[in-house]
Amino acid sequence: MRKKLWLKQVKSFVPEVVREWLRSFIQVFLKALSYAPSKLVRRVGLRVAGATIGKDVLFYHGFEVYFPWNLVIGSDNSFGFHVVLDARGGITIGSNCNISSEVAIWTAEHDMQSPDFSYVTAPVIIGDYVWISYRAIIMPGVKVGSGAVVAAGAIVTKDVPAYTIVAGVPAKKIGERNRDLDYDPGMRSGSYCRIL
C-alpha cells in the first residue's frame, strides 16, 4: 500500500515526459534482466523494478513485464521462457503456479466498439496451483480459480472456476482437475530445467 501512495506522489509532481522516459528505461532494464545468467538476479531485479514477488519464484529467460509495480506474485511459482506479463491493469498470481513458456497475460486493450479506440484496463487474478500451459493467452479482467488448468494454445476470455480444465478458442470447460493438489513447481522442488 505504501508503494502505491509513493507512486501517486511521484505522479503529482513529475511531468508526463519524464515519467515516459522512466517507463522506457525500466523496460530496457527489464529486457536486459530477462537474460541475466542468474535466476536470483532476475527475481531480485524484478523486485527492484517494483514487483512484489514471494520466495522461490523461478523466471526462465526472455520474460517481458510491463508496469512491474502492478505485479504481485506468491511463492513457489515457475514462469517459462518468453512469458509476457502485462501488469498495466494489475496482475495477482497465487502460489504454486506453473506458467508455461510463451504464455501471455494481458490486462489492457483497446475497446473495439469505442469511437475513439479508447484504452481500457482490467486486472487479472490467478489462484493457487494453477497451470497455464504453452502459448495460452489470458485476456483482461479474467479470474482463474485455484487448481484450474488452461490447455496449450487456449484463449481465455471469461472467468475459469476453481479446479476446471479449459481448452480452445475461446476457452471452454473440458474437464475437472483433482482437488488434492500438493506440489511445488518453483525452485524448492529442484524439478526445474537445469539449462537456465
Side-chain angles (χ1 to χ4, degrees):
M1 204 51 133
R2 222 180 299 200
K3 181 169 43 174
K4 301 288 185 196
L5 180 60
W6 179 82
L7 285 172
K8 285 182 182 177
Q9 290 171 344
V10 167
K11 284 183 178 179
S12 67
F13 69 87
V14 176
E16 178 61 31
V17 68
V18 174
R19 284 185 281 166
E20 191 58 42
W21 276 93
L22 285 171
R23 281 193 292 267
S24 296
F25 173 78
I26 289 169
Q27 285 311 120
V28 169
F29 166 75
L30 289 174
K31 194 56 167 171
L33 176 70
S34 77
Y35 288 99
S38 165
K39 54 190 172 284
L40 175 63
V41 169
R42 294 191 293 268
R43 193 171 61 250
V44 170
L46 281 168
R47 287 181 180 140
V48 168
T52 303
I53 300 176
K55 64 181 180 53
D56 297 325
V57 174
L58 173 64
F59 279 91
Y60 285 79
H61 291 130
F63 60 83
E64 292 182 45
V65 176
Y66 305 113
F67 288 56
W69 47 89
N70 292 333
L71 177 62
V72 177
I73 298 172
S75 300
D76 302 310
N77 292 309
S78 175
F79 294 83
F81 294 101
H82 305 287
V83 167
V84 176
L85 301 174
D86 166 30
R88 290 176 286 179
I91 296 176
T92 303
I93 298 173
S95 296
N96 301 97
C97 296
N98 180 25
I99 313 297
S100 298
S101 295
E102 298 188 29
V103 164
I105 301 175
W106 298 105
T107 64
E109 62 185 343
H110 291 281
D111 180 359
M112 69 180 91
Q113 300 298 339
S114 169
D116 64 352
F117 201 50
S118 65
Y119 172 79
V120 293
T121 62
V124 169
I125 299 170
I126 296 172
D128 298 334
Y129 292 103
V130 170
W131 175 16
I132 303 176
S133 195
Y134 182 70
R135 285 195 174 168
I137 299 172
I138 310 296
M139 297 302 288
V142 167
K143 291 181 179 128
V144 180
S146 293
V149 175
V150 177
I155 299 179
V156 182
T157 60
K158 295 182 179 165
D159 291 353
V160 178
Y163 303 100
T164 300
I165 302 169
V166 297
V169 179
K172 292 186 180 0
K173 180 178 177 179
I174 61 167
E176 291 279 328
R177 190 176 190 198
N178 171 22
R179 291 175 182 264
D180 187 26
L181 301 173
D182 184 25
Y183 61 86
D184 164 29
M187 296 185 330
R188 275 189 307 125
S189 68
S191 63
Y192 58 89
C193 178
R194 297 288 178 197
I195 48 172
L196 302 174

